[in-house]
Amino acid sequence: MNQSYTVTAVALVVLATVLVGGFGLRISRTTSDFYVASRTVGPGLNAAAISGEYLSAASFLGVAGLVLLHGPDMLWYPVGYTAGYLVLLVFVAAPLRRSGAYTLPDFAEGRLESRAVRRLVSVFVAGAGWLYLVPQLQGAGLTLAILTGAPDWFGGVLVALVVVVAVAAGGMRSITFVQAFQYWLKLTALLVPALFLLLAWQGDGRPRVDLDLASAVAGRADHPLYATYGLIVATFLGTMGLPHVVVRFYTSPNGRAARRTTLFVLALIGAFYLLPPVYGALGRLYVPELPYGTNADAAVLLLPERAIGGLGGALLGALVAGGAFAAFLSTASGLTMAVAGVLTQDVLPSRGVRHFRLATPLAMAVPLGGSLLITGMPVADSVGMAFAVSASSFCPLLVLGIWWRRLTPPGAIAGLLLGGGLSFAATVITVSGAVRSGWPHALLAWPAVWSVPVGFLAMILVSLATRGRIPPGTNAAMARFHLPEALMPSGKGGVR
Amino acid sequence: MTGESRQPAPRREVVTGEPRRVRPLPRYRAQAEIEEQTALGDAYVRSLMRGQLRAGLTAFAVLALVVGTLPLAFAALRDATAVWVVLGFAAYPLLTLLAWWYVRRAERNERDFARLVKGRPVP
């Protein structure tokens, strides 16, 4: 493998990220610029930014790897990642923007008028963000290790450093440009090699690609149907609560723009997800046995070299590696942004941009440690767990908070603790490897099927039992969430 | 600031900034009702919320119905090609189409609501 092309591609992506971030730094002047890009990002740019941030290592490498290893049932992952935005659109997008809050804890406090709920939500935001950051850093380590022979830890540390510098320097305004740029980079980095791969496949006389379900190399779960439903529930309902997704909606100018942005996002990520299955299918043909044991996440990276070979293969491989690095960088910076925002506002003593800059390394240090300690989990699986936790805690909070007037602070706390807490506990048990087979393993590894109803039920029942605690401002909050900005009396909807 | 003591006449200040935003008076009666949180204003908000929730639930029900039955259908069919075609390709345009329908419907709800509110000017 020719390493110099890969190193050049990765270096270019890193350099471009820092440069575009620096461009943002020059126009990022106020605190509002810093956190939410002053709420002036139009649907086109914002949608590209959201998509760029969302398409993580799990999408870029993980999906193709899982399809290669376990067959087409794994295509539920990208479908779920996309459909999550539809659920977000129909229940949350416009009201969330109109709530006028900066972060999820802001939303919780504004709606429920309770500091306790705010603090609990902050804990969950940091937890879910960290859970999602770990696989990004691991993916970076894997990519560089396979392509250049660098030590396993190096890629993760590199991504962590670049992200901390870019986020701490420019904040949201600069990150918006970086993310939008990285969506198009990622799309190109998968699309161009995919076209060449298909041509090479044609040239080889179209060998039959083994599409069968039964040919899966390894059985994935003892109860595949249950696992599929668990995956569907987690991804469909979990997207709306992911910290880096939520924070993006506050940058839209108004509720209508937030809705249209989401529609664009669906189209953009849908277009992207047409590509990983191509890699998965061709990978079965050209990379039947993977190096590094069962680490199927490497399939996308190795495919151009194997199928095309020569200089062309090396160049295309370098393009894919650059795209993969863009995936780690963009998702990691979005998550770091969200976690650092929460740390600044709710953990560190005073507010302000200076403290945000201090919080950024802190937000990155924990997952970096985690990524070095925990190894040997497929990227898409660990991301799936962050989705499950988000679906069981933030989804009930957002949906009930936006549509149900009887939600009370004790109800919200009960739902967060039971739904989110239990799914988080299930994740920890699964990762520790204490339970390895049968129904117990299936139930713990795909907890969303039971933990989401638990979260919703706990929130509803405890709220009904504590009717006296309904926040006095509930009706005003509902009017603010749902009325179009132009109709809001006293211009409250147009908070800037 | 050194010239202050020597100049007897008060300095003329030129205001270049925007005037402070004054709280605008509600232009429509319904708007006033909403602002004062009267029963009628509350009813307006609830009617809009019902319409929007209905639109959202319709889209969600279509999604849940299709997605809820698909894994069972795939398990029954045991046809790998169908899984590849549906999940690898057909799903994305359909999701975008459903989203597009919802956005149109939600914006229409808001337009209708605006017409309702503006239909009754402040007397």
Side-chain angles (χ1 to χ4, degrees):
Chain A
M1 171 149 306
N2 197 328
Q3 295 169 9
S4 59
Y5 294 123
T6 311
V7 173
T8 313
V10 170
L12 276 179
V13 168
V14 169
L15 194 71
T17 304
V18 173
L19 281 182
V20 180
F23 167 65
L25 177 62
R26 289 181 37 205
I27 55 173
S28 186
R29 304 230 177 276
T30 65
T31 310
S32 171
D33 262 354
F34 201 82
Y35 287 119
V36 289
S38 292
R39 304 181 184 281
T40 50
V41 186
L45 179 63
N46 209 13
I50 292 177
S51 313
E53 188 165 68
Y54 189 60
L55 297 170
S56 67
S59 307
F60 200 91
L61 302 178
V63 169
L66 285 175
V67 169
L68 170 77
L69 208 57
H70 301 292
D73 270 350
M74 293 299 105
L75 291 174
W76 276 113
Y77 269 109
V79 171
Y81 294 152
T82 315
Y85 272 99
L86 183 63
V87 181
L88 172 82
L89 166 70
V90 302
F91 290 131
V92 176
L96 182 64
R97 167 61 192 92
R98 287 174 180 149
S99 73
Y102 280 135
T103 62
L104 253 169
D106 281 346
F107 169 83
E109 192 185 13
R111 169 69 177 80
L112 292 167
E113 300 165 38
S114 151
R115 294 286 304 172
V117 177
R118 184 195 177 102
R119 272 193 291 275
L120 189 61
V121 172
S122 305
V123 171
F124 272 98
V125 167
W130 280 335
L131 212 54
Y132 206 119
L133 268 168
V134 171
Q136 309 303 325
L137 300 175
Q138 283 179 334
L142 170 85
T143 305
L144 278 197
I146 285 182
L147 292 179
T148 67
D152 270 339
W153 54 265
F154 180 74
V157 173
L158 177 65
V159 166
L161 276 178
V162 174
V163 166
V164 166
V165 170
V167 170
M172 193 58 137
R173 169 85 80 169
S174 100
I175 288 297
T176 301
F177 288 112
V178 174
Q179 311 283 30
F181 159 73
Q182 281 174 344
Y183 169 77
W184 295 107
L185 178 62
K186 276 182 262 191
L187 188 68
T188 314
L190 273 198
L191 181 64
V192 173
L195 294 178
F196 279 100
L197 285 172
L198 287 174
L199 282 178
W201 176 67
Q202 287 270 9
D204 288 351
R206 295 187 181 216
R208 223 182 82 74
V209 177
D210 190 4
L211 294 176
D212 249 356
L213 304 159
S215 73
V217 178
R220 180 171 152 78
D222 296 341
H223 303 278
L225 200 60
Y226 170 81
T228 301
Y229 279 110
L231 175 68
I232 289 174
V233 175
T235 50
F236 279 44
L237 301 180
T239 305
M240 70 174 72
L242 292 176
H244 63 306
V245 172
V246 169
V247 87
R248 279 258 149 235
F249 277 82
Y250 304 118
T251 58
S252 286
N254 56 44
R256 212 181 98 157
R259 242 187 243 126
R260 294 190 164 195
T261 301
T262 320
L263 177 58
F264 281 131
V265 169
L266 270 161
L268 288 179
I269 56 181
F272 178 87
Y273 280 134
L274 295 175
L275 299 170
V278 175
Y279 285 81
L282 291 180
R284 288 189 157 198
L285 195 65
Y286 290 107
V287 207
E289 84 308 331
L290 278 165
Y292 282 77
T294 56
N295 219 333
D297 292 331
V300 171
L301 299 168
L302 296 174
L303 199 49
E305 184 93 10
R306 294 283 181 90
I308 300 168
L311 179 67
L315 285 175
L316 291 173
L319 182 59
V320 175
F325 238 76
F328 311 131
L329 283 176
S330 54
T331 305
S333 43
L335 286 163
T336 310
M337 184 80 210
V339 173
V342 166
L343 290 181
T344 318
Q345 293 200 331
D346 295 312
V347 182
L348 297 177
S350 91
R351 301 180 177 207
V353 170
R354 213 162 56 86
H355 280 84
F356 181 89
R357 289 186 171 146
L358 289 178
T360 311
L362 199 65
M364 186 49 106
V366 174
L368 185 60
S371 74
L372 300 177
L373 287 176
I374 306 164
T375 47
M377 251 190 114
V379 169
D381 269 353
S382 27
V383 163
M385 294 185 167
F387 273 91
V389 172
S390 162
S392 331
S393 53
F394 300 133
C395 169
L397 179 73
L398 282 167
V399 171
L400 293 177
I402 287 171
W403 298 102
W404 197 49
R405 288 165 193 261
R406 292 192 212 160
L407 185 68
T408 64
I413 290 178
L416 286 170
L417 283 180
L418 274 175
L422 286 176
S423 56
F424 187 75
T427 303
V428 171
I429 296 174
T430 312
V431 173
S432 75
V435 185
R436 288 183 183 282
S437 63
W439 270 112
H441 174 259
L443 287 171
L444 290 174
W446 289 276
V449 174
W450 52 269
S451 64
V452 172
V454 164
F456 268 101
L457 271 181
M459 241 178 235
I460 292 171
L461 292 179
V462 175
S463 289
L464 288 178
T466 54
R467 277 166 207 270
R469 303 280 310 275
I470 294 176
T474 297
N475 283 346
M478 286 296 171
R480 196 170 67 239
F481 290 177
H482 294 283
L483 289 183
E485 282 81 355
L487 290 180
M488 260 320 271
S490 27
K492 269 186 227 150
V495 186
R496 289 184 58 96
Chain B
M1 301 302 123
T2 49
E4 256 173 74
S5 54
R6 269 172 258 161
Q7 276 183 330
R11 266 177 41 182
R12 180 176 284 222
E13 295 290 345
V14 179
V15 180
T16 53
E18 280 178 55
R20 283 249 315 261
R21 185 174 293 181
V22 183
R23 201 171 137 141
L25 281 173
R27 270 189 301 158
Y28 306 102
R29 181 158 161 189
Q31 223 172 337
E33 302 271 4
I34 292 169
E35 174 155 39
E36 283 152 26
Q37 293 185 32
T38 60
L40 181 61
D42 198 37
Y44 274 116
V45 177
R46 279 173 198 266
S47 81
L48 175 67
M49 275 177 73
R50 258 198 309 278
Q52 298 293 42
L53 188 60
R54 200 173 303 134
L57 284 177
T58 309
F60 185 69
V62 172
L63 180 73
L65 207 70
V66 174
V67 167
T69 49
L70 263 183
L72 293 174
F74 287 151
L77 277 175
R78 304 207 128 270
D79 178 7
T81 322
V83 184
W84 279 98
V85 170
V86 173
L87 296 186
F89 184 74
Y92 302 106
L94 291 178
L95 284 172
T96 310
L97 216 62
L98 196 56
W100 179 73
W101 173 85
Y102 169 79
V103 169
R104 273 186 38 150
R105 171 89 185 264
E107 289 188 356
R108 198 179 63 214
N109 282 348
E110 285 179 356
R111 269 201 307 278
D112 291 351
F113 182 77
R115 209 172 298 139
L116 177 77
V117 168
K118 289 176 181 169
R120 304 176 63 194
V122 181

